[in-house]
Amino acid sequence: MQNDWSNLNPFSLGEGARQETTTFGSVDVTSAVISIRVQSKINDIAKAEISINAKSSIISRLDLSGQVTVKRTQGAITRPVFTGFVVDATAHLDRIDIECRSQPQFDELTVAPMSSTGVPGIELIYTLARGAGLRDDQIQAQGYSDLPIEAFEVICPVSGISADTPIKLGHVTILPAASIDFSGLPDTASLTKEFRNSQNYAVAYATSNTLLGAEIQALQDIDLMLSWLTVRARYSLAPLPDGTSGGWQRSNLFAGPSRGRLVYANGMRTNRRWLRVPNQAASPTSLELSGSHSSVTRPAVARDIPQNIKQAILACARAASGPDNISRVTALWEAIEFYVGKTSVPDLFTRSERRALLRSLPKFEDAAKSDRVANLVAGLNNPPLFVKFRHRLALDGAPITQADIDLLSGLRKVRNDVVHGRSPVEPATHDVDHGVAIVSRILVFTMHRLSV
């Protein structure tokens, strides 16, 4: 992608006058910066062009997927000049030219098809901004938070289910097409035709001040219901947990209920409504293996890859394009666990030290307690996953900073919250993207080690 930088104002970067600090993620690259040019205009996406000395030792720690921050200090005041992400980097013999944008996701995402009626413009702007990955605290659009709270009806077509009469499943109702009132659909021929081309629909209700908020709540209920039906269909005991008998068909093992791509949401009080595809997907791109992306063919795929590394690659690929950020984090940590595999670390306790601990333990009348304590002592040399992870990294030589470890640790907490039944805070998309980039870096170094 070519950009016209002729109108940009370069910073003064002389050694005596330099007052800018440039970081990529947690790595301060200020000493390696050759030049910076920033374009920042009202009502336009900020851009930056940065040239980095290719011979600097900092290059080995330069992660191009991290957030780029440029700050200028004047006297005692430090202010941000640019915050964004790398969109393109070109390597030369003496330098690396890097192009950055403040919100590249606005260019990367394809606006999903939508037809609406009675929806305020500010709500549509808010929806587009959220679809581009911005959080509420990053959106400065006055008015959307003042929209009235009301109940919304959310309807989406479903396949893999057949119901001739309304069936209530928890917070969701499955209805045949004959029970759906299509008269309120926004008048868009192509979307309406697609939406009406289903035999059954899932209906859920949610309360919110925005269509988007209601849609998210309702689709979570619908997706959970469809997933539960998939699990329930595979129950194969004759008696049910309540003692009654249930039928069983082998074909249920292949059932996979799913919802269609369109969603219709209608405010019960204001009658604001939309029919749309809820997900703004990234525009698909092609890797030009014989052109600008030729470097992705190195290192070559090793002939005999250990099974755990194969699974780590597959899991990391799932994390790169999962349906939501929590699912992506779960897949990411599957990749790390596969990567660690059977990695062993030097024992922390010697055999004599463990025997001494066992001899010093009190004797419990309950044999189960004694066995439990003995098992804990026996497992003292079983290190935590992070310890084995760090050791594996040292063996493979992958360059990892403490900030990288901190980011992965934060994502690990999200994964653990889900596993242990706690309600996790969904991580930011750019944090998950960065986590995937870190694990991808590790796997590239691993593949290099296996191929030499």
Side-chain angles (χ1 to χ4, degrees):
M1 181 180 297
Q2 299 295 322
N3 290 298
D4 181 7
W5 298 99
S6 59
N7 295 323
L8 301 183
N9 296 318
F11 295 161
S12 174
L13 293 176
E15 289 297 323
R18 178 177 293 172
Q19 295 177 304
E20 287 75 32
T21 301
T22 304
T23 57
F24 283 65
S26 63
V27 179
D28 188 336
V29 302
T30 303
S31 62
V33 171
I34 298 173
S35 65
I36 304 176
R37 292 189 291 178
V38 171
Q39 178 185 30
S40 182
K41 297 180 180 179
I42 298 175
N43 297 327
D44 193 10
I45 295 176
K47 302 175 183 178
E49 185 180 61
I50 306 173
S51 289
I52 303 289
N53 183 353
K55 298 181 179 180
S56 171
S57 60
I58 291 175
I59 294 302
S60 63
R61 297 183 288 117
L62 182 64
D63 188 341
L64 298 175
S65 68
Q67 181 171 279
V68 180
T69 302
V70 180
K71 295 181 180 179
R72 172 176 286 175
T73 300
Q74 294 179 331
I77 300 176
T78 298
R79 64 183 182 86
V81 177
F82 175 82
T83 300
F85 296 90
V86 176
V87 295
D88 190 48
T90 304
H92 303 278
L93 289 177
D94 60 342
R95 71 185 192 280
I96 299 176
D97 292 336
I98 301 171
E99 294 182 15
C100 308
R101 293 183 186 174
S102 62
Q103 296 293 344
Q105 59 266 47
F106 283 114
D107 290 332
E108 296 164 346
L109 297 177
T110 301
V111 177
M114 174 194 290
S115 179
S116 64
T117 300
V119 183
I122 191 63
E123 185 170 8
L124 293 175
I125 293 173
Y126 167 74
T127 301
L128 290 173
R130 283 289 304 275
L134 298 183
R135 303 185 305 271
D136 281 351
D137 60 356
Q138 297 175 306
I139 301 174
Q140 296 181 354
Q142 296 181 352
Y144 78 87
S145 59
D146 299 326
L147 294 168
I149 296 176
E150 61 180 310
F152 290 85
E153 180 184 54
V154 179
I155 306 173
C156 62
V158 292
S159 59
I161 293 177
S162 178
D164 296 330
T165 59
I167 305 292
K168 187 169 178 58
L169 299 167
H171 300 296
V172 179
T173 302
I174 302 298
L175 295 174
S179 300
I180 300 294
D181 181 8
F182 295 106
S183 62
L185 291 175
D187 187 18
T188 301
S190 60
L191 292 183
T192 300
K193 181 179 179 180
E194 179 182 345
F195 184 80
R196 298 185 63 161
N197 189 28
S198 181
Q199 298 298 315
N200 291 99
Y201 295 80
V203 182
Y205 293 87
T207 300
S208 177
N209 72 316
T210 63
L211 280 155
L212 178 64
E215 180 184 87
I216 291 173
Q217 294 176 44
L219 290 184
Q220 286 176 345
D221 288 339
I222 291 172
D223 288 343
L224 177 60
M225 180 273 296
L226 294 174
S227 296
W228 171 243
L229 285 178
T230 300
V231 173
R232 174 61 185 84
R234 283 151 177 78
Y235 180 85
S236 56
L237 293 180
L240 295 172
D242 62 3
T244 61
S245 296
W248 185 82
Q249 292 180 317
R250 184 171 178 79
S251 60
N252 287 354
L253 296 176
F254 311 106
S258 61
R259 63 177 169 89
R261 70 175 191 135
L262 290 172
V263 175
Y264 172 57
N266 176 35
M268 306 302 289
R269 183 161 68 89
T270 62
N271 204 30
R272 49 182 160 142
R273 56 195 186 275
W274 67 30
L275 174 65
R276 73 173 197 137
V277 177
N279 298 320
Q280 289 184 229
S283 303
T285 60
S286 297
L287 290 174
E288 300 172 7
L289 299 184
S290 58
S292 59
H293 300 139
S294 60
S295 63
V296 302
T297 62
R298 306 188 307 271
V301 177
R303 190 177 188 86
D304 297 315
I305 305 175
Q307 188 61 234
N308 68 303
I309 300 302
K310 289 181 182 178
Q311 294 301 320
I313 293 171
L314 294 172
C316 190
R318 291 197 301 272
S321 58
D324 59 76
N325 285 337
I326 291 179
S327 297
R328 295 178 65 197
V329 167
T330 301
L332 183 66
W333 270 95
E334 283 182 17
I336 292 174
E337 291 171 358
F338 279 125
Y339 165 73
V340 170
K342 295 183 179 180
T343 300
S344 60
V345 300
D347 288 345
L348 186 62
F349 292 86
T350 65
R351 180 177 297 180
S352 60
E353 287 173 335
R354 284 184 283 124
R355 287 177 175 173
L357 281 172
L358 286 173
R359 288 194 297 268
S360 67
L361 294 174
K363 299 298 181 182
F364 296 96
E365 294 183 2
D366 188 340
K369 292 182 178 180
S370 297
D371 291 342
R372 173 60 176 159
V373 173
N375 287 334
L376 290 174
V377 173
L380 287 175
N381 284 328
N382 294 333
L385 176 62
F386 255 112
V387 173
K388 293 194 290 184
F389 180 42
R390 286 178 179 272
H391 188 65
R392 183 75 257 167
L393 290 173
L395 294 175
D396 287 336
I400 298 294
T401 67
Q402 184 57 48
D404 295 334
I405 295 294
D406 291 342
L407 175 64
L408 294 176
S409 179
L411 297 178
R412 176 73 172 179
K413 183 180 184 304
V414 173
R415 180 260 185 197
N416 287 346
D417 283 345
V418 174
V419 170
H420 297 294
R422 298 185 290 268
S423 297
V425 176
E426 184 165 348
T429 298
H430 67 79
D431 283 341
V432 183
D433 289 340
H434 194 185
V436 173
I438 293 170
V439 175
S440 298
R441 182 199 319 162
I442 294 168
L443 292 174
V444 169
F445 271 81
T446 301
M447 194 62 68
H448 172 73
R449 176 180 61 83
L450 293 172
S451 61
V452 295

